[in-house]
Amino acid sequence: MAIKKVKSEFEKLSAILDEELIADECTAGELRHVHDELQEAIQSGDPAKLIRDKKITQQLIVFEETNPVVGKVIKDLILALSSMGI
């Protein structure tokens, strides 16, 4: 159940990146990198381990604090990850 919520929030993050709602290309590039790592983790056999190993949650927290455009989506994604014990 928790992974479904993570996938749902991940899709929202994908939409933000696809719609290029982040004007700063450097920030968008960094967020795209985290997005790709998260996608790899979701598709792996053990997403929780890969997310912890790559420290994806810490990277997401930085975006939540510094970018109001993605802040809510990132916060919801972090909450979904925490429900998985991450």
Side-chain angles (χ1 to χ4, degrees), residues 53-82:
D53 289 350
K54 291 188 178 241
K55 299 184 172 139
I56 293 172
T57 305
Q58 290 92 333
Q59 294 170 339
L60 290 171
I61 289 170
V62 170
F63 287 107
E64 178 189 17
E65 294 172 350
T66 61
N67 197 313
V69 174
V70 296
K72 169 119 176 60
V73 172
I74 296 291
K75 183 177 183 175
D76 292 345
L77 184 52
I78 290 170
L79 288 172
L81 291 171
S82 70

Side-chain angles (χ1 to χ4, degrees), residues 17-51:
L17 289 167
D18 290 343
E19 294 170 17
E20 299 179 352
L21 295 177
I22 302 172
D24 176 14
E25 286 201 26
C26 182
T27 301
E30 291 173 14
L31 187 57
R32 172 66 64 190
H33 177 74
V34 174
H35 170 274
D36 293 347
E37 287 182 337
L38 188 55
Q39 182 175 33
E40 178 186 339
I42 289 170
Q43 293 172 347
S44 76
D46 190 355
K49 180 180 180 338
L50 198 55
I51 289 167

